Amino acid sequence: MTKEKYALLDTDFISKTYLIRKDDQNKMIDRIMEMQGYRFFCHEQIRTELKRHNIGNSPEWLEAKISDGAVHCMSDEEILGELHSIYSNSAEAMYVSMLRNGCEAYKKGYFEENFTRLQSMDCLSISKESFLQELKEDCEEIGEGKNLGELKSYVLLQMLSTKLGQQIYVFCSDDKNARSGIVSLGNARCISVLSAFMRLDKEGILQREDAEPYIQVYLNECRKHKQTTFKVHDTSKQMRMCRMPCEQVIEEMYAGKLELLQNGNLRYKQ
């Protein structure tokens, strides 16, 4: 029996792979969802951010996947409930610890600067309801565009890793700092939009010939943003990064010349 895998989806990954499509009925994100043996999760904040950005009909796509159970969307209240089942009365303190870890992975000093209410509370005596209200007020003051979706996903990642005791896959942003932050939090493996093509090929869902229409749309999107190269690690011990033409990286990826690292980066095989 195949071991079940657990995966998180973030805002950037959903919105980008929603736009990468063969046609209206065949989007890359749908091919991701076809991967066998995966249970997909996202944080409630991802739902909020996707609606705010409103790229194509990606918010409606996510709502449909949540409704049919393909994606399990978890709120802070649900995460706290899971933590209570593991840590009992220390759950609120553990949530704060996980949030602090996530903030540190994202940007040093972010937690101290933004989560003022959580810092001042007594986590061991506060009620669950009061804790969630204080957290909500801190988040409302932080406001939009401050990577809350990323930070809440970091908390969800840590909770799932603790509860399940196994590696979590994170389908995430192409931003290298975001991916480094995910890896720093423990047993997680990042999959970027580029490396998702590799994963789909490995899973036998979207092999080279069938992937071609999606690849061309992806390359066109890169060109729109003036991106003509991808960064790839060389074969040296220092794992130096080199810029290679996008088309060449795609070709070498399918030719089996590249391997996928835990942080989602690609490296030339020895």
Side-chain angles (χ1 to χ4, degrees):
M1 186 176 174
T2 305
K3 189 177 181 181
E4 197 165 40
K5 301 181 182 76
Y6 297 85
L8 299 186
L9 297 168
D10 84 355
T11 309
D12 190 60
F13 187 89
I14 294 171
S15 58
K16 284 182 177 177
T17 53
Y18 181 86
L19 294 176
I20 300 170
R21 59 181 67 192
K22 180 179 177 181
D23 52 46
D24 284 346
Q25 283 71 46
N26 291 278
K27 306 173 186 70
M28 186 177 177
I29 187 64
D30 289 319
R31 303 291 80 81
I32 295 291
M33 300 302 295
E34 288 170 8
M35 296 197 307
Q36 294 298 304
Y38 285 80
R39 287 189 65 191
F40 291 94
F41 291 79
C42 75
H43 192 282
E44 182 73 33
Q45 188 67 29
I46 301 302
R47 197 179 193 174
T48 301
E49 290 184 358
L50 209 59
K51 287 176 182 175
R52 186 183 302 140
H53 297 151
N54 199 26
I55 295 173
N57 290 318
S58 56
E60 288 80 1
W61 176 90
L62 181 58
E63 290 303 317
K65 293 301 175 185
I66 293 169
S67 294
D68 67 20
V71 176
H72 186 189
C73 181
M74 294 195 72
S75 64
D76 288 315
E77 183 174 5
E78 289 174 295
I79 292 172
L80 199 57
E82 293 287 353
L83 291 176
H84 267 281
S85 69
I86 302 169
Y87 297 106
S88 189
N89 293 337
S90 299
E92 284 76 16
M94 286 308 303
Y95 185 103
V96 171
S97 176
M98 289 176 174
L99 181 59
R100 189 189 294 272
N101 290 341
C103 289
E104 282 297 301
Y106 168 65
K107 181 183 176 184
K108 194 168 182 64
Y110 187 100
F111 180 83
E112 290 75 13
E113 183 180 338
N114 293 284
F115 290 96
T116 53
R117 289 176 178 80
L118 295 197
Q119 288 177 76
S120 61
M121 70 173 60
D122 181 356
C123 290
L124 295 178
S125 63
I126 195 169
S127 69
K128 181 180 176 181
E129 293 72 24
S130 295
F131 176 86
L132 289 168
Q133 183 59 35
E134 296 289 280
L135 173 61
K136 180 184 177 184
E137 290 181 18
D138 267 345
C139 291
E140 286 175 350
E141 284 190 11
I142 291 169
E144 299 177 10
K146 296 290 185 69
N147 294 82
L148 270 179
E150 203 171 288
L151 296 172
K152 295 294 186 74
S153 293
Y154 286 170
V155 175
L156 177 55
L157 165 61
Q158 291 172 85
M159 185 279 286
L160 289 174
S161 183
T162 300
K163 179 185 177 183
L164 302 168
Q166 65 185 69
Q167 185 174 75
I168 310 294
Y169 292 84
V170 184
F171 289 86
C172 59
S173 166
D174 288 323
D175 180 76
K176 67 176 184 178
N177 293 328
R179 289 190 275 118
S180 295
I182 290 164
V183 172
S184 75
L185 292 172
N187 195 22
R189 178 168 287 276
C190 298
I191 301 175
S192 66
V193 175
L194 174 59
S195 58
F197 282 101
M198 233 171 143
R199 174 64 59 173
L200 289 169
D201 182 59
K202 182 180 178 182
E203 300 276 343
I205 288 176
L206 203 59
Q207 295 177 313
R208 181 57 205 260
E209 186 177 345
D210 293 328
E212 189 61 29
Y214 299 88
I215 292 168
Q216 291 308 316
V217 172
Y218 179 46
L219 291 174
N220 285 336
E221 285 296 317
C222 290
R223 292 184 196 109
K224 282 182 190 176
H225 295 91
K226 311 298 182 186
Q227 183 180 356
T228 58
T229 61
F230 293 129
K231 288 183 179 179
V232 183
H233 291 284
D234 65 16
T235 58
S236 68
K237 287 183 179 178
Q238 294 79 22
M239 292 178 60
R240 289 183 292 265
M241 295 292 281
C242 48
R243 289 184 177 274
M244 306 299 292
C246 294
E247 292 82 358
Q248 181 179 332
V249 172
I250 296 284
E251 290 301 323
E252 291 176 330
M253 190 169 69
Y254 282 101
K257 295 181 180 180
L258 296 163
E259 60 183 342
L260 178 60
L261 303 179
Q262 186 177 353
N263 65 359
N265 287 350
L266 298 174
R267 182 187 186 186
Y268 282 105
K269 293 179 179 177
Q270 297 286 349

